[in-house]
Amino acid sequence: MKFDTLIIGGGLAGLTCGIRLQKNGVKCAIVSTGQSALHFSSGSFDLLNELADGTKVDNPVAAADKVSANHPYAKLGDNFAYYVREAKQQFLDCGIEVNGDAEHNHLRITPMGTLKPTWLTFSDFTPLSSANDIAGKKILVVNMAGFLDFNTKFVADSFEKYGAECRISSINLPELERLRISPTEMRSTNIARVLENEKTLEALILELTGKISGFDIVALPAVFGLSSAASVKKLKESLDIQVWLIPTMPPSVPGIRAQQQLRRSFEELGGVYMLGDTVVKADFSGNKVQAVYSVNHGDISFVAENFILASGSYFSNGLVAQPDSVIEPVFGSDVDFTPGRDSWYDKAFFNKQNYMTFGVATDDKLRIKIKGDAQRNLFAIGSVLSGSNTIHEGCGAGISMLTALYVADNLIKG
């Protein structure tokens, strides 16, 4: 099978790159092992919340030139602000409604009811400017009876620490009761499928209408709109008070919807998306990749002019930690890591972890290095790259999207 470009990894980075390339006439295929990290999304996309030295960031555009020289953002040159705008616009073009801007981080509500800074947030959720948006409000926190991935007590306690007055309630419907027969069925995605039935959604809205009198806000788990945002919009339009949807523990209904919309956009542009396959090895000629091979296709090779590694970090086996090294398993790419396993981690779980900065080594065009030599047609994008601590710095989604657009544009320009 032959393509102009083959992308290994079908998450946010891979799809962002593939959509950009397909729009510009570059024939792409994406090989994706399984679920994207979007399936575990909190509903927001971070760009830059903190510098490596701990300095808090309010304006990512103004702070982008303060990252380290090896940070993926540093390799974008003067294009950071441009790609930030392009990334948001691509979401909108794909029908993914988001709020936020890169010149001022807003606050998002976490599954625990706490507030964290972020760049973009799905329109399902309510972006806040400060904790003052919660203070003094009367909030009804409602769950679906038997749904364990949304803790109303934690959420209400957090809101009350910010100065709100909260009450907890629950809703049960016959359609939801059937899910409770098996605890494994009472998951966010299954609830969302039930609530996509118009009559069931209307019954839930009617139940809520009888509970919300005297409250300013009703907070609900984000279990609406698996296939489209229609049920979210109807819910918000039908009630006389503000509706705050709160992210749940994974899986994420809005995240799955976004993944589906991105994939749909890619395929509608003519891209080929192969889910459930894993690229395992490659053929080289000098410093150029000739072909790659996957588990499902055996000896049938994928041939392309260019190859893009968007395989993610440890979670998706884009990087693999061994006793004394960290490797990239498909191409044998050079990996930036520090020697001595004891230096990789801090025993205090919530402290900054050094291993998060490890990743594939690249040149300024994000061409992968192997034995020190940049490969002519092999690129890396997203969290497989070295140089950033995406959790500590709050920059994971930004790195995925901005590096994807940067590599795509370099290939389009030739």
Side-chain angles (χ1 to χ4, degrees), residues 209-246:
T209 302
K211 293 175 178 287
I212 61 176
S213 178
F215 291 93
D216 302 307
I217 298 162
V218 58
L220 295 156
V223 291
F224 302 86
L226 185 62
S227 59
S228 80
S231 58
V232 176
K233 292 178 180 177
K234 182 170 183 177
L235 174 69
K236 292 184 176 183
E237 291 169 357
S238 299
L239 297 176
D240 293 331
I241 64 174
Q242 288 188 65
V243 176
W244 285 5
L245 296 184
I246 311 297

Side-chain angles (χ1 to χ4, degrees), residues 12 42 44-61 63-64 67 71-73 80 84 101-102 104-106 108 116-120 352-353 356-357 383 387-402:
L12 182 59
S42 64
S44 294
F45 300 88
D46 295 340
L47 182 61
L48 186 62
N49 298 338
E50 191 171 309
L51 297 178
D53 63 4
T55 302
K56 303 298 182 183
V57 171
D58 178 61
N59 184 335
V61 171
V67 299
H71 196 286
Y73 287 161
F80 181 83
V84 165
D101 67 75
H104 180 68
N105 281 330
H106 63 268
R108 65 178 176 90
K116 298 290 184 183
T118 195
W119 163 43
L120 298 176
K352 183 178 178 181
Q353 302 295 332
M356 290 298 298
T357 65
S383 58
S388 69
N389 187 318
T390 56
I391 293 176
H392 178 74
E393 297 169 18
C395 58
I399 287 175
S400 289
M401 297 192 75
L402 272 57

Side-chain angles (χ1 to χ4, degrees), residues 62-81:
D65 62 355
K66 297 180 176 64
V67 299
S68 66
N70 192 44
H71 196 286
Y73 287 161
K75 299 184 179 183
L76 303 179
D78 297 328
N79 297 311
F80 181 83

